[in-house]
Coordinates of all heavy atoms in Angstrom, one line a residue:
I13 N 9.3 -44.0 -65.9 CA 8.0 -43.5 -65.2 C 7.1 -44.6 -64.7 O 6.1 -44.4 -64.0 CB 7.2 -42.6 -66.3 CG1 6.8 -43.4 -67.5 CG2 8.0 -41.4 -66.6 CD1 5.9 -42.6 -68.4
Y14 N 7.5 -45.9 -65.1 CA 6.7 -47.0 -64.6 C 7.5 -48.0 -63.8 O 8.7 -48.3 -64.1 CB 6.1 -47.8 -65.8 CG 5.1 -47.0 -66.6 CD1 5.5 -46.5 -68.0 CD2 3.8 -46.8 -66.2 CE1 4.6 -45.8 -68.7 CE2 3.0 -46.1 -67.1 CZ 3.4 -45.6 -68.2 OH 2.5 -44.8 -68.9
K15 N 6.9 -48.4 -62.8 CA 7.6 -49.4 -61.9 C 7.4 -50.9 -62.5 O 8.3 -51.6 -62.3 CB 7.0 -49.4 -60.4 CG 7.3 -48.2 -59.6 CD 6.6 -48.3 -58.2 CE 7.0 -47.0 -57.5 NZ 6.4 -47.0 -56.1
N16 N 6.3 -51.0 -63.2 CA 6.0 -52.2 -63.9 C 7.1 -52.4 -65.1 O 7.1 -51.5 -65.9 CB 4.6 -52.4 -64.4 CG 4.3 -53.6 -65.1 OD1 4.8 -54.0 -66.2 ND2 3.5 -54.5 -64.4
K17 N 7.9 -53.4 -65.0 CA 9.0 -53.5 -66.1 C 8.4 -53.7 -67.5 O 8.9 -53.2 -68.4 CB 9.9 -54.8 -65.7 CG 10.7 -54.5 -64.5 CD 11.7 -55.7 -64.3 CE 12.5 -55.4 -63.0 NZ 13.4 -56.5 -62.7
E18 N 7.2 -54.4 -67.6 CA 6.7 -54.7 -68.9 C 6.2 -53.4 -69.6 O 6.5 -53.2 -70.7 CB 5.6 -55.7 -68.9 CG 4.9 -56.1 -70.2 CD 3.8 -57.0 -70.1 OE1 3.3 -57.3 -68.9 OE2 3.4 -57.5 -71.0
T19 N 5.5 -52.6 -68.7 CA 4.9 -51.4 -69.2 C 6.1 -50.4 -69.5 O 6.0 -49.7 -70.5 CB 4.0 -50.7 -68.2 OG1 3.0 -51.8 -67.9 CG2 3.2 -49.5 -68.8
Q20 N 7.1 -50.4 -68.7 CA 8.3 -49.5 -68.9 C 9.0 -49.9 -70.2 O 9.3 -49.0 -71.1 CB 9.2 -49.5 -67.8 CG 10.4 -48.6 -67.9 CD 10.1 -47.1 -68.1 OE1 9.2 -46.7 -67.5 NE2 11.0 -46.4 -68.9
K21 N 9.1 -51.2 -70.4 CA 9.7 -51.6 -71.7 C 8.9 -51.2 -72.9 O 9.5 -50.8 -73.9 CB 10.0 -53.2 -71.6 CG 10.7 -53.7 -72.9 CD 10.9 -55.2 -72.8 CE 11.7 -55.7 -74.0 NZ 11.1 -55.4 -75.2
K22 N 7.6 -51.4 -72.8 CA 6.8 -51.1 -74.0 C 6.8 -49.7 -74.2 O 6.9 -49.2 -75.4 CB 5.3 -51.6 -73.6 CG 4.3 -51.2 -74.8 CD 4.7 -51.9 -76.1 CE 4.5 -53.4 -76.0 NZ 4.8 -54.0 -77.4
Y23 N 6.8 -48.7 -73.1 CA 6.9 -47.3 -73.2 C 8.3 -47.0 -74.0 O 8.3 -46.1 -74.8 CB 6.7 -46.7 -71.9 CG 6.9 -45.2 -71.9 CD1 6.0 -44.4 -72.6 CD2 8.0 -44.6 -71.2 CE1 6.2 -43.0 -72.6 CE2 8.0 -43.3 -71.1 CZ 7.2 -42.4 -71.9 OH 7.3 -41.1 -71.9
A24 N 9.3 -47.6 -73.5 CA 10.6 -47.4 -74.1 C 10.6 -47.7 -75.6 O 11.2 -47.0 -76.4 CB 11.7 -48.2 -73.3
D25 N 9.9 -48.8 -76.0 CA 9.9 -49.2 -77.4 C 9.2 -48.1 -78.2 O 9.6 -47.7 -79.3 CB 9.2 -50.5 -77.5 CG 10.0 -51.7 -77.0 OD1 11.2 -51.5 -76.9 OD2 9.4 -52.7 -76.7
I26 N 8.1 -47.6 -77.7 CA 7.2 -46.6 -78.3 C 8.1 -45.4 -78.5 O 8.1 -44.6 -79.5 CB 6.0 -46.4 -77.7 CG1 5.1 -47.7 -77.8 CG2 5.1 -45.2 -78.3 CD1 3.8 -47.7 -76.9
W27 N 8.7 -45.0 -77.4 CA 9.6 -43.7 -77.3 C 10.7 -43.8 -78.4 O 10.9 -42.9 -79.1 CB 10.1 -43.5 -75.9 CG 11.1 -42.4 -75.7 CD1 12.3 -42.3 -76.2 CD2 10.7 -41.1 -75.1 NE1 12.8 -41.0 -75.8 CE2 11.8 -40.3 -75.2 CE3 9.6 -40.8 -74.4 CZ2 11.9 -39.1 -74.6 CZ3 9.7 -39.4 -73.8 CH2 10.8 -38.6 -74.0
N28 N 11.4 -44.9 -78.4 CA 12.6 -45.1 -79.3 C 12.0 -45.2 -80.7 O 12.7 -44.8 -81.7 CB 13.3 -46.3 -79.0 CG 14.1 -46.1 -77.7 OD1 14.6 -45.1 -77.4 ND2 14.3 -47.2 -77.0
D29 N 10.8 -45.7 -80.9 CA 10.2 -45.8 -82.4 C 10.0 -44.2 -82.9 O 10.3 -44.0 -84.0 CB 8.9 -46.4 -82.3 CG 9.1 -47.9 -82.3 OD1 10.1 -48.5 -82.6 OD2 8.0 -48.7 -82.0
R30 N 9.6 -43.4 -82.0 CA 9.4 -42.0 -82.4 C 10.7 -41.4 -82.7 O 10.8 -40.6 -83.7 CB 8.8 -41.3 -81.2 CG 8.6 -39.7 -81.5 CD 8.0 -39.0 -80.4 NE 8.9 -38.9 -79.2 CZ 8.7 -38.0 -78.2 NH1 7.8 -37.2 -78.2 NH2 9.5 -38.1 -77.1
S31 N 11.8 -41.6 -81.9 CA 13.1 -41.1 -82.2 C 13.7 -41.7 -83.4 O 14.2 -40.8 -84.3 CB 14.1 -41.5 -81.1 OG 13.7 -41.1 -79.8
D32 N 13.5 -43.0 -83.7 CA 13.9 -43.5 -85.0 C 13.1 -42.9 -86.2 O 13.7 -42.6 -87.2 CB 13.7 -45.1 -85.0 CG 14.6 -45.8 -84.0 OD1 15.6 -45.2 -83.6 OD2 14.3 -46.8 -83.6
F33 N 11.9 -42.7 -86.0 CA 11.0 -42.1 -87.1 C 11.6 -40.8 -87.4 O 11.8 -40.4 -88.7 CB 9.6 -42.0 -86.6 CG 8.8 -41.0 -87.4 CD1 8.3 -41.3 -88.6 CD2 8.6 -39.7 -86.9 CE1 7.7 -40.3 -89.4 CE2 7.9 -38.8 -87.7 CZ 7.4 -39.0 -88.9
L34 N 11.9 -39.9 -86.5 CA 12.4 -38.6 -86.8 C 13.7 -38.6 -87.5 O 13.9 -37.9 -88.5 CB 12.4 -37.8 -85.5 CG 12.8 -36.2 -85.7 CD1 11.8 -35.6 -86.6 CD2 12.6 -35.6 -84.3
V35 N 14.6 -39.5 -86.8 CA 16.0 -39.5 -87.4 C 16.1 -40.0 -88.8 O 16.7 -39.4 -89.8 CB 16.8 -40.4 -86.5 CG1 18.2 -40.7 -87.2 CG2 17.1 -39.7 -85.2
N36 N 15.2 -41.0 -89.1 CA 15.1 -41.6 -90.4 C 14.4 -40.7 -91.4 O 14.9 -40.7 -92.6 CB 14.3 -42.9 -90.3 CG 15.1 -44.0 -89.6 OD1 16.3 -44.0 -89.5 ND2 14.4 -45.0 -89.2
A37 N 13.5 -40.0 -91.0 CA 12.9 -38.9 -91.9 C 13.8 -37.9 -92.2 O 13.8 -37.3 -93.4 CB 11.6 -38.3 -91.1
M38 N 14.7 -37.4 -91.2 CA 15.7 -36.4 -91.6 C 16.7 -37.0 -92.6 O 17.0 -36.3 -93.7 CB 16.4 -36.0 -90.4 CG 15.7 -35.2 -89.4 SD 16.6 -34.8 -87.9 CE 15.5 -33.7 -87.1
Q39 N 17.1 -38.2 -92.4 CA 18.1 -38.8 -93.4 C 17.4 -39.0 -94.7 O 18.2 -39.0 -95.8 CB 18.6 -40.1 -92.8 CG 19.7 -40.8 -93.6 CD 20.9 -39.9 -93.8 OE1 21.3 -39.3 -92.9 NE2 21.5 -40.0 -95.0
A40 N 16.2 -39.3 -94.7 CA 15.5 -39.6 -96.1 C 15.0 -38.2 -96.7 O 14.3 -38.3 -97.7 CB 14.2 -40.4 -95.8
N41 N 15.5 -37.1 -96.1 CA 15.2 -35.8 -96.8 C 13.8 -35.5 -96.8 O 13.2 -34.8 -97.7 CB 15.8 -35.7 -98.1 CG 17.3 -35.6 -98.2 OD1 17.9 -35.1 -97.2 ND2 18.0 -36.3 -99.0
N42 N 13.0 -35.8 -95.8 CA 11.6 -35.5 -95.7 C 11.4 -34.1 -95.3 O 10.3 -33.6 -95.4 CB 10.8 -36.4 -94.6 CG 10.7 -37.9 -95.1 OD1 11.2 -38.2 -96.2 ND2 10.1 -38.7 -94.4
F43 N 12.4 -33.4 -94.9 CA 12.4 -32.0 -94.4 C 13.3 -31.3 -95.3 O 14.2 -31.7 -95.9 CB 12.7 -31.9 -93.0 CG 11.9 -32.9 -92.1 CD1 12.5 -33.9 -91.4 CD2 10.5 -32.6 -91.8 CE1 11.8 -34.7 -90.6 CE2 9.7 -33.5 -91.0 CZ 10.4 -34.5 -90.5
I44 N 13.1 -29.9 -95.3 CA 13.9 -29.0 -96.0 C 14.1 -27.7 -95.3 O 13.2 -27.3 -94.6 CB 13.4 -28.7 -97.4 CG1 14.5 -28.1 -98.3 CG2 12.2 -27.9 -97.4 CD1 14.0 -28.2 -99.8
H45 N 15.3 -27.2 -95.2 CA 15.6 -26.0 -94.5 C 15.8 -24.8 -95.5 O 16.9 -24.2 -95.5 CB 16.9 -26.2 -93.6 CG 17.0 -25.0 -92.6 ND1 16.4 -25.1 -91.4 CD2 17.7 -23.9 -92.6 CE1 16.7 -24.0 -90.6 NE2 17.5 -23.3 -91.4
N46 N 14.7 -24.5 -96.2 CA 14.8 -23.2 -97.0 C 14.8 -22.0 -96.1 O 13.8 -21.8 -95.4 CB 13.6 -23.2 -98.0 CG 13.7 -22.1 -98.9 OD1 13.1 -21.0 -98.5 ND2 14.2 -22.1 -100.1
K47 N 15.8 -21.2 -96.4 CA 16.0 -20.1 -95.4 C 14.8 -19.1 -95.4 O 14.3 -18.7 -94.3 CB 17.3 -19.3 -95.6 CG 17.6 -18.1 -94.7 CD 18.9 -17.5 -95.1 CE 19.3 -16.4 -94.1 NZ 20.5 -15.7 -94.4
A48 N 14.2 -18.8 -96.5 CA 13.1 -17.8 -96.5 C 12.0 -18.3 -95.8 O 11.2 -17.7 -95.1 CB 12.9 -17.4 -98.0
I49 N 11.6 -19.5 -96.2 CA 10.3 -20.2 -95.6 C 10.5 -20.4 -94.1 O 9.6 -20.1 -93.3 CB 10.0 -21.5 -96.3 CG1 9.4 -21.2 -97.7 CG2 9.0 -22.3 -95.5 CD1 9.0 -22.4 -98.5
Y50 N 11.7 -20.9 -93.7 CA 11.9 -21.1 -92.3 C 11.9 -19.8 -91.5 O 11.2 -19.9 -90.5 CB 13.3 -21.8 -92.2 CG 13.6 -22.0 -90.7 CD1 13.4 -23.2 -90.1 CD2 14.3 -21.0 -89.9 CE1 13.7 -23.4 -88.8 CE2 14.7 -21.2 -88.5 CZ 14.3 -22.4 -88.0 OH 14.6 -22.7 -86.7
N51 N 12.4 -18.8 -92.0 CA 12.5 -17.6 -91.3 C 11.0 -17.0 -91.1 O 10.7 -16.4 -90.1 CB 13.3 -16.5 -91.9 CG 14.8 -16.8 -91.7 OD1 15.1 -17.7 -90.9 ND2 15.7 -16.1 -92.5
Y52 N 10.2 -17.2 -92.2 CA 8.8 -16.7 -92.1 C 8.1 -17.4 -91.1 O 7.3 -16.8 -90.3 CB 8.2 -16.8 -93.5 CG 6.8 -16.2 -93.6 CD1 6.6 -14.8 -93.6 CD2 5.7 -17.0 -93.6 CE1 5.3 -14.4 -93.6 CE2 4.4 -16.6 -93.6 CZ 4.2 -15.2 -93.7 OH 3.0 -14.6 -93.7
V53 N 8.1 -18.7 -91.1 CA 7.3 -19.4 -90.1 C 7.9 -19.3 -88.7 O 7.1 -19.0 -87.7 CB 7.4 -21.0 -90.4 CG1 6.7 -21.8 -89.3 CG2 6.8 -21.2 -91.8
D54 N 9.3 -19.2 -88.6 CA 9.9 -19.0 -87.2 C 9.5 -17.7 -86.7 O 9.4 -17.5 -85.4 CB 11.3 -19.1 -87.4 CG 12.1 -19.1 -85.9 OD1 11.7 -20.0 -85.2 OD2 13.0 -18.3 -85.8
A55 N 9.3 -16.6 -87.5 CA 9.0 -15.3 -87.0 C 7.6 -15.3 -86.2 O 7.3 -14.7 -85.2 CB 8.9 -14.3 -88.1

């Protein structure tokens, strides 16, 4: 989204940090997929 290479690189770093945060949180079991609770919220 940026023509400026420095800004685009910084944006990519921030974007990838978010992806890493989510993937690492899943691997660290920060979330749980309890069927009853999930279905209630999803409804």
